[in-house]
Amino acid sequence: MLESERLLLRPVELTDVNETYRSWMNDPVVMQYTESRFQTHSLEQIRQYVLSVQADAGSRFFAIVEKQSGKHIGNIKIGHIHPVHRHGDVGIIIGDKASWGKGYATESLRLVAGYARESLKLHKLTAGIYANNIGSIQAFLNAGFVVEGRFSRHWFCDGEYVDGLQMGLLLEGSI
């Protein structure tokens, strides 16, 4: 379990897969900048996904829980952890829209970065982000990530092609 002043990050459990979680995954606003937006998600599909990530030695999947209320507000994952190159990809979703704009994504990213450096001994974290996803870009920047590259007109979103950003965080030094 990872802990900050306001948040706990703990492994996602099958008991987390409920109607609230399903509603996040099927909310077009919550999912608008994810590749998961192209399908409707059932509870069983989400359960199978959680089981597959739990079984994947190259991933770490955390529930983001607000400490004060105990409310599960989102998830954060480090995936594709490469054992030789020592890097991993970060994905995050704050599913609870009432929790948007409160800095929880940045706080979660900082916790995961510390865990990746200290416990996983990773060298770097990366993330791919839609260039029009201003909230996520700001959260990653606030957590110390930098834009390392831009892919022109990379993703089709809201009726047009948008650029993709590759962001990265070197885990050397302090986070």
Side-chain angles (χ1 to χ4, degrees):
M1 188 172 312
L2 309 175
E3 185 174 354
S4 66
E5 182 180 332
R6 302 181 302 161
L7 299 175
L8 292 173
L9 301 187
R10 59 161 176 75
V12 173
E13 302 165 355
L14 284 179
T15 56
D16 293 317
V17 181
N18 55 31
E19 284 300 322
T20 300
Y21 190 159
R22 190 192 62 75
S23 72
W24 301 342
M25 296 300 295
N26 291 305
D27 185 322
V29 175
V30 172
M31 301 306 288
Q32 68 183 328
Y33 301 115
T34 72
E35 296 305 289
S36 296
R37 74 182 187 273
F38 299 114
Q39 62 184 357
T40 301
H41 301 273
S42 69
L43 287 173
E44 185 55 31
Q45 286 172 315
I46 298 168
R47 280 187 197 101
Q48 290 306 312
Y49 174 76
V50 170
L51 287 170
S52 71
V53 176
Q54 287 175 337
D56 179 4
S59 294
R60 301 294 183 277
F61 192 31
F62 297 100
I64 302 168
V65 178
E66 187 182 53
K67 278 171 65 170
Q68 185 175 8
S69 68
K71 186 176 184 180
H72 177 202
I73 62 168
N75 297 324
I76 188 166
K77 180 179 128 182
I78 305 172
H80 306 290
I81 297 171
H82 197 284
V84 174
H85 300 304
R86 310 300 306 156
H87 57 69
D89 296 323
V90 177
I92 185 169
I93 183 170
I94 304 296
D96 177 47
K97 290 189 269 189
S99 298
W100 288 6
K102 296 183 178 182
Y104 291 143
T106 297
E107 201 168 321
S108 298
L109 288 163
R110 288 179 177 153
L111 280 171
V112 159
Y115 169 77
R117 183 185 64 211
E118 300 301 322
S119 296
L120 300 178
K121 306 297 186 206
L122 295 186
H123 164 72
K124 183 178 184 179
L125 292 174
T126 60
I129 302 177
Y130 287 55
N132 56 343
N133 188 349
I134 304 304
S136 282
I137 293 167
Q138 194 59 55
F140 277 85
L141 290 171
N142 289 344
F145 284 73
V146 297
V147 176
E148 295 185 328
R150 178 178 291 267
F151 302 97
S152 284
R153 298 172 44 103
H154 192 67
W155 285 307
F156 193 73
C157 183
D158 297 328
E160 66 182 354
Y161 284 96
V162 298
D163 291 356
L165 300 180
Q166 180 68 27
M167 300 188 77
L169 174 67
L170 292 175
L171 297 174
E172 301 159 344
S174 64
I175 295 174

